[in-house]
Amino acid sequence: MGKDNTAPPGVLERALWLMSQFSMKRPRLQLRELAELSGLDKATALRALRTLVEWGYLERNSDGSYSPGPANLRMASIFKATSNFISRLEVPIASISKQVKQTTSFFVRSNEERVCLARDHAYQDFRYFIEVGGSVPLSEGGAAAQLLLAFTGPDTERRAKTRADGYYISRGERNKHFASIAVPLFESDGTFLGAVTITGLGVELTDEDLIGFTRIVHKEVATAGFLSGQAS
């Protein structure tokens, strides 16, 4: 629903569909832009936007644009406090970063974007890193995007190889200076959760270094009851 830019039928669906148009690259949107992106007519979009503003999920700015409101931060805090697998993952993420001395993050797929749900804060030398809650279109590539597509997208030979390898290495896909490796994370029952990604300067990391990091990922996430690597 909505992927072909057709308007969702339900009132609640329309409001959620409007909310989904915002991203880190599109943090502020005018009514005209929201109508075009969502496929809703302006009158219908405006009714939903007024309700979202009233409940604090959107703010209307002085220039007439809309942006996410404070209610989202409250919900994000509740999510972090109550999400079992995120709270379990924070310690392994920090431990992995400490051992590899690179930035470690965890991404999930949300529609056609990857969203960062956890990241260590010990290695923040590079401003390009995506903060917790940030999202990037899967179409921009990168290790996390390619791995998420391998486990959640239509099958291809390349994606089958990624699943068989149990990792994906990216060099310069999103930023020419960086190299990353992404490893799939599974719940103990084999349910795919997302991608654990380690990123650093490409000139300092060989593919052998990156593959070696996967052993640390496997060990650390296992301490929290997760599985990683090849699909079961």
Side-chain angles (χ1 to χ4, degrees), residues 101-146:
K101 295 181 171 56
Q102 310 293 336
T103 293
T104 306
S105 309
F106 175 69
F107 292 90
V108 297
R109 180 174 182 175
S110 177
N111 295 321
E112 298 307 309
E113 297 196 335
R114 59 181 172 109
V115 180
C116 181
L117 293 190
R119 188 172 88 78
D120 102 279
H121 288 275
Y123 300 90
Q124 300 188 73
D125 298 333
F126 312 114
R127 288 179 295 172
Y128 101 100
F129 286 130
I130 304 167
E131 290 293 344
V132 172
S135 62
V136 174
L138 293 170
S139 59
E140 291 192 8
Q146 300 294 359

Side-chain angles (χ1 to χ4, degrees), residues 11-211:
V11 175
L12 178 58
E13 291 170 309
R14 290 170 182 169
L16 294 173
W17 182 229
L18 284 169
M19 289 290 296
S20 73
Q21 306 308 317
F22 293 91
S23 68
M24 296 299 286
K25 288 192 172 183
R26 298 193 307 236
R28 289 173 178 253
L29 292 168
Q30 297 284 346
L31 171 61
R32 171 185 54 80
E33 296 172 308
L34 283 162
E36 291 176 356
L37 289 166
S38 67
L40 297 170
D41 62 76
K42 288 184 180 179
T44 300
L46 184 58
R47 287 194 294 272
L49 290 169
R50 285 172 175 164
T51 299
L52 289 167
V53 169
E54 181 181 353
W55 284 84
Y57 288 98
L58 287 180
E59 289 186 334
R60 192 167 189 271
N61 305 299
S62 58
D63 63 355
S65 66
Y66 294 86
S67 58
N72 298 286
L73 186 60
R74 180 177 67 86
M75 294 301 290
S77 297
I78 296 170
F79 170 72
K80 184 176 180 180
T82 58
S83 174
N84 179 47
F85 84 86
I86 293 299
S87 61
R88 287 162 54 204
L89 191 57
E90 288 181 334
V91 171
I93 289 288
S95 182
I96 292 166
S97 287
K98 183 177 181 180
Q99 294 178 66
V100 303
K101 295 181 171 56
Q102 310 293 336
T103 293
T104 306
S105 309
F106 175 69
F107 292 90
V108 297
R109 180 174 182 175
S110 177
N111 295 321
E112 298 307 309
E113 297 196 335
R114 59 181 172 109
V115 180
C116 181
L117 293 190
R119 188 172 88 78
D120 102 279
H121 288 275
Y123 300 90
Q124 300 188 73
D125 298 333
F126 312 114
R127 288 179 295 172
Y128 101 100
F129 286 130
I130 304 167
E131 290 293 344
V132 172
S135 62
V136 174
L138 293 170
S139 59
E140 291 192 8
Q146 300 294 359
L147 188 130
L148 290 170
L149 286 168
F151 283 87
T152 64
D155 202 13
T156 66
E157 184 176 343
R158 182 188 189 188
R159 292 172 181 174
K161 183 179 186 303
T162 296
R163 294 195 301 274
D165 290 342
Y167 62 83
Y168 183 95
I169 292 176
S170 165
R171 287 189 176 274
E173 285 189 27
R174 290 198 64 243
N175 186 304
K176 65 181 181 179
H177 300 296
F178 298 99
S180 300
I181 187 165
V183 180
L185 185 77
F186 305 92
E187 193 51 273
S188 58
D189 63 359
T191 301
F192 175 70
L193 298 174
V196 176
T197 306
I198 299 171
T199 303
L201 282 172
V203 295
E204 296 179 353
L205 296 170
T206 66
D207 284 4
E208 289 72 22
D209 292 330
L210 293 168
I211 293 170

